[in-house]
Amino acid sequence: MASRDSDYGAFMEKFVLQPSSSAHQLPLSGLTFAIKDMIVSLVMYLPISTLGEVSMLTIASIAVFDVDGHVTGFGNPDWARTHSAATSTAPAVLAVLSGGATSIGKTIMDEMAYSINGENKHYGTPTNPCAPDRVPGGSSSGSAVAVGAKLVDFSLGTDTGGSVRVPASYCGIFGFRPSHSAVSTAGVIPMAQSFDTVGHIIENVILGDYVKDKVPSLQHFLSEGNKEQEYSIPSLAALSSAMRLLQRYEFKNNHGDWVTTVKPDLGPGISERVWEAVRTSAQKIDVCQSVKTELRAALSALLGDHGILVIPTVPGPPPKLQMDPSALEVFRARAFSLLSIAGVSGFCQVSIPLGLHDNLPVAISLLAKHGSDGFLLNLVETLHNTLKEELQRMS
């Protein structure tokens, strides 16, 4: 493993997967990427200038996140010890390689993807390139750090409860959580399948021909937003509770037998959450499913085809490293209140970096209704280009 000074502690293992010999003719020629140490639906961290090419190559063919000859460790040494090395490479990885990019290794993640913090007691905590005394965010911690620190052009990671949006916000890069089920997760070992998604984290904004949806004018948004109508939208507390309960229940169904059999050594905070999930019953699951249905219907009616919901990505700047557990849990609960809007509704969301406030990264998010991913990405590109032009005019 490379020294922490040279790679910000982002990598679990360094290896090279080369593209085809004709890579110089391919859209990702010359780009490097890293792979999250997880078997689950994938997310990509990349400069948005390459988003179009990468997305077209990977989103249609995503599957199990394996690399031939390497053990996928799920962020925990006991998982790695009890699972065999892959005998083939995931189609998503092959697709990126066939696009001309070169992989340079696997990145550190939170154990079993069960945190949005980014601290791993076994493999270390990747250093946040924007704020070294703060957490990098998780569970795709190393993936975000590798891009934020410009160690690679893009990385592969995941978002179930916030694992793209949170580290994107904390590391000062763009993060895209697509509409739930927009990308097939067939053959993927799930964390919590009602929430697992495949998306991107981004550094710059040039989407190119990724999508063809036309972005309506700002006047259209203003007129659409002036409609006077009431919608029955569940409270943030209800959304957060529903998401966390459903995730616990699905995590138990997916991994409960392994946890109770192996009794893995888990880090503080994660151990408590994992065992709480193992003890979860099916009580109130039907109510949680009803909350999901009600939220999607209400928000779909509210936003329509061209409406946008603007919210903070997280409730504040990244917490300090080794923060007091009780204070951290309060922050985490507030974060899930915001993260659960897209999680429970299945809507698409882009986290947008706004720079630094008090020398710490801050971000906002735009959400659009389920299936409006192309519209949302085009809008982000339009807004970004407009802001860049305005800043250049003022400078």
Side-chain angles (χ1 to χ4, degrees):
M1 183 184 299
S3 70
R4 295 188 62 84
D5 289 341
S6 64
D7 70 5
Y8 289 72
F11 286 89
M12 277 280 302
E13 179 184 1
K14 290 291 189 70
F15 54 78
V16 176
L17 298 177
Q18 294 282 1
S20 68
S21 58
S22 59
H24 64 280
Q25 301 172 349
L26 298 172
L28 303 183
S29 175
L31 299 181
T32 59
F33 71 102
I35 303 170
K36 182 177 179 181
D37 185 32
M38 184 174 180
I39 308 176
V40 137
S41 58
L42 307 184
V43 171
M44 302 180 61
Y45 294 72
L46 68 162
I48 207 166
S49 58
T50 61
L51 176 59
E53 291 87 349
V54 175
S55 299
M56 300 304 288
L57 286 166
T58 61
I59 285 184
S61 60
I62 197 152
V64 180
F65 193 56
D66 279 334
V67 175
D68 188 9
H70 296 268
V71 177
T72 303
F74 212 0
N76 179 269
D78 287 320
W79 182 279
R81 175 178 58 83
T82 56
H83 290 77
S84 301
T87 57
S88 61
T89 298
V93 177
L94 292 174
V96 176
L97 292 171
S98 68
T102 300
S103 169
I104 65 169
K106 291 195 302 182
T107 55
I108 288 177
M109 59 172 285
D110 281 304
E111 298 175 78
M112 303 191 79
Y114 221 137
S115 177
I116 57 171
N117 212 32
E119 296 176 301
N120 188 309
K121 82 165 190 174
H122 304 287
Y123 303 122
T125 300
T127 302
N128 187 329
C130 289
D133 64 335
R134 305 288 173 133
V135 300
S139 62
S140 305
S141 54
S143 296
V145 167
V147 172
K150 304 185 187 303
L151 304 175
V152 292
D153 295 297
F154 63 93
S155 299
L156 305 183
T158 71
D159 191 307
T160 298
S163 296
V164 162
R165 295 160 287 164
V166 173
S169 173
Y170 290 176
C171 293
I173 50 182
F174 285 78
F176 172 48
R177 175 191 168 97
S179 299
H180 184 259
S181 76
V183 180
S184 173
T185 57
V188 175
I189 298 177
M191 192 276 185
Q193 53 267 40
S194 291
F195 304 91
D196 293 341
T197 58
V198 179
H200 305 78
I201 287 187
I202 307 140
E203 189 175 18
N204 301 301
V205 182
I206 304 173
L207 290 179
D209 293 329
Y210 174 64
V211 283
K212 302 296 184 183
D213 299 294
K214 250 189 112 136
V215 178
S217 67
L218 181 59
Q219 183 59 42
H220 176 86
F221 289 114
L222 294 175
S223 62
E224 286 290 299
N226 287 332
K227 293 178 179 177
E228 293 184 5
Q229 188 172 347
E230 292 186 0
Y231 300 92
S232 179
I233 298 176
S235 68
L236 289 179
L239 298 182
S240 179
S241 295
M243 183 174 77
R244 295 172 84 170
L245 180 55
L246 277 171
Q247 287 187 354
R248 286 197 293 266
Y249 181 68
E250 293 181 356
F251 181 91
K252 173 187 177 179
N253 290 339
N254 294 325
H255 306 301
D257 288 345
W258 180 83
V259 172
T260 55
T261 300
V262 175
K263 295 180 175 57
D265 179 18
L266 299 167
I270 293 177
S271 178
E272 290 82 354
R273 285 193 289 278
V274 165
W275 284 103
E276 183 181 20
V278 170
R279 294 188 292 268
T280 295
S281 72
Q283 187 179 10
K284 297 183 179 179
I285 294 300
D286 289 345
V287 175
C288 294
Q289 296 289 4
S290 296
V291 170
K292 283 173 62 70
T293 301
E294 291 172 9
L295 178 66
R296 180 178 291 195
L299 283 183
S300 295
L302 173 65
L303 297 181
D305 291 335
H306 300 122
I308 293 293
L309 182 65
V310 183
I311 62 171
T313 303
V314 288
K320 291 184 177 180
L321 291 165
Q322 299 179 331
M323 188 175 179
D324 174 71
S326 58
L328 186 60
E329 182 55 35
V330 171
F331 184 90
R332 185 171 178 271
R334 292 174 59 207
F336 270 114
S337 293
L338 295 167
L339 297 167
S340 64
I341 298 174
V344 176
S345 68
F347 280 26
C348 48
Q349 176 175 344
V350 175
S351 178
I352 303 172
L354 295 181
L356 302 178
H357 177 69
D358 291 337
N359 291 318
L360 295 172
V362 292
I364 62 166
S365 278
L366 305 185
L367 288 82
K369 80 170 189 177
H370 186 272
S372 297
D373 303 59
F375 158 73
L376 180 61
L377 291 172
N378 257 337
L379 174 63
V380 172
E381 180 188 11
T382 300
L383 292 175
H384 180 77
N385 289 339
T386 300
L387 289 173
K388 283 199 303 184
E389 291 173 1
E390 183 65 18
L391 288 173
Q392 290 172 356
R393 187 186 66 80
M394 295 174 62
S395 61

